[in-house]
Amino acid sequence: MKAAIYNAYGPANVVKLVNKPIPQPKSDEVLVRLRASAVTAADSMIRRGEPRFGRLFLGLRGPKVTAMGTQFAGEVIEIGNAVSSFAVGDRVFGETGLSFGAHAEYVCISQQGLIAHIPEAMTFEEAAPLCDGPLTDMNFLINLAGLKPGQHILINGAAGSLGTAAVQLAKGQGAKVTGVCSTRNVAFVKSLGADEVINYIKADFTKQLATYDIVYDTVGKSSFAASKHALKPQGIYISPVLAVNLLGRMMFGNLFSRKKAKFSATGMMPISQQMPLLRDLLDRITKGHLKMVIDRRFSLERIAEAHAFVDTGHKRGNVILEMGQA
């Protein structure tokens, strides 16, 4: 099978395709023929080895695990003899976590892993990124921020993969939503359901005073220090991008202020904590609270181009790898 690897940290051209044997499922695993995967901002950061303290886990001088990609969707083509939750022919999606390997034509995953059946109305391409942006959003909006109907939330990076899902999920939760994006995405973010849209080229949301219950910085381009004046007295700043200043604020600053900064590594949570969020997300999808946004599609052979496009920072929604129908 074809699979993407990288042997050194660096730009998009460090990504290479190699031939590997098709993996064989263990007794509790399923073998999935992938139809789609997603190239995410997290994939780009991992490839670059950024932030640098992340190399303590990924490998100091180079990646310890050279396989790439975590998001997948495809068909079960073989099951281990202890598998009872899935059958051959099932359409499934999920995440491989720190095992990586989803940027390939086949992957094995335990039935106890982060894997679920694809909703009937969804395509493989739409399902592949569900455990990236949308699941992270569920963790941040519901678990960390405790978003309630009527609250006012600002979503920075509203046109990205996390942002496009967060706008829709927050509206489905009954919140008032303000999205922040560039000029070309103002109408697009409005079409997702945002009540208000701030064009960051023309206005700075951090100059507002006591406006938002929650600031969700999906892209890590702001900070708690910059955003705190825009928060209400008991407001919360949340971001999935762990910068040093955010870590310091959580460790020390939260003790002395009613305004809080919060972070969570959603993908590092135990499966037992992620699965309830995923079931809740799937329920919201069936209720029409979320439609996936796909910007561009690339074949697996063009994965380096997909990484280069993600590196521009201008993707709208999700970037998908298509594996074909072989």
Side-chain angles (χ1 to χ4, degrees), residues 34-39 71-74 91-93 118-119 121-131 134 291-298 317-325:
L34 272 61
R35 300 302 193 188
S37 184
V39 179
Q71 313 297 314
F72 71 87
R91 299 191 324 137
V92 296
F93 73 97
I118 297 175
M122 295 194 83
T123 66
F124 292 118
E125 291 81 5
E126 291 168 331
L130 282 176
C131 291
K291 293 187 182 299
M292 297 300 289
V293 176
I294 298 175
D295 187 332
R296 298 190 187 184
R297 296 170 169 86
F298 296 85
N318 299 280
V319 173
I320 300 299
L321 289 179
E322 294 180 318
M323 310 300 182
Q325 300 293 320

Side-chain angles (χ1 to χ4, degrees), residues 9-291:
Y9 300 122
N13 61 12
V14 302
V15 181
K16 308 295 181 184
L17 277 186
V18 297
N19 288 313
K20 290 185 175 183
I22 296 174
Q24 297 301 305
K26 299 176 182 177
S27 61
D28 68 334
E29 292 182 337
V30 299
L31 175 62
V32 181
R33 176 191 290 134
L34 272 61
R35 300 302 193 188
S37 184
V39 179
T40 68
D43 292 323
S44 173
M45 292 176 69
I46 290 169
R47 188 204 73 233
R48 300 193 310 270
E50 297 177 356
R52 284 189 172 265
F53 62 75
R55 299 187 185 190
L56 293 172
F57 308 98
L58 297 172
L60 289 175
R61 297 184 177 181
K64 292 186 291 187
V65 179
T66 60
M68 306 188 75
T70 60
Q71 313 297 314
F72 71 87
E75 298 168 332
V76 175
I77 62 169
E78 187 177 345
I79 63 174
N81 56 24
V83 172
S84 58
S85 301
F86 301 94
V88 172
D90 284 354
R91 299 191 324 137
V92 296
F93 73 97
E95 181 178 77
T96 60
L98 294 179
S99 297
F100 301 102
H103 291 167
E105 294 178 308
Y106 298 86
V107 71
C108 283
I109 186 167
S110 169
Q111 68 172 342
Q112 305 300 326
L114 195 61
I115 179 174
H117 292 92
I118 297 175
E120 287 187 9
M122 295 194 83
T123 66
F124 292 118
E125 291 81 5
E126 291 168 331
L130 282 176
C131 291
D132 177 49
L135 188 61
T136 298
D137 290 336
M138 290 292 293
N139 182 33
F140 275 76
L141 297 178
I142 306 304
N143 285 358
L144 265 66
L147 180 64
K148 298 176 179 61
Q151 286 189 314
H152 193 175
I153 181 172
L154 177 137
I155 299 170
N156 193 28
S161 56
L162 275 80
T164 52
V167 168
Q168 298 175 72
L169 292 170
K171 283 301 297 179
Q173 190 75 356
K176 179 180 179 181
V177 177
T178 294
V180 179
C181 62
S182 64
T183 304
R184 78 181 187 96
N185 288 317
V186 168
F188 166 65
V189 171
K190 190 76 173 178
S191 74
L192 295 174
D195 299 286
E196 301 171 351
V197 181
I198 295 174
N199 179 349
Y200 67 74
I201 296 174
K202 297 182 178 181
D204 183 353
F205 78 86
T206 67
K207 302 301 182 184
Q208 298 176 334
L209 296 177
T211 304
Y212 307 105
D213 297 286
I214 301 163
V215 169
Y216 183 19
D217 186 2
T218 68
V219 288
K221 297 296 186 182
S222 184
S223 66
F224 174 82
S227 304
K228 64 181 180 180
H229 298 297
L231 288 170
K232 293 179 180 179
Q234 292 182 308
I236 300 173
Y237 172 89
I238 53 177
S239 177
V241 182
L242 184 57
V244 173
N245 56 7
L246 177 55
L247 180 62
R249 177 69 198 187
M250 290 190 299
M251 293 176 64
F252 305 108
N254 282 351
L255 298 173
F256 308 105
S257 173
R258 289 185 296 169
K259 298 180 181 181
K260 307 296 183 184
K262 297 184 179 183
F263 163 84
S264 172
T266 305
M268 300 292 288
M269 293 165 53
I271 301 298
S272 61
Q273 295 179 24
Q274 293 189 64
M275 284 305 297
L277 284 172
L278 186 57
R279 287 192 287 268
D280 189 358
L281 174 63
L282 291 174
D283 181 61
R284 291 167 191 250
I285 290 172
T286 62
K287 292 177 180 177
H289 292 177
L290 175 65
K291 293 187 182 299

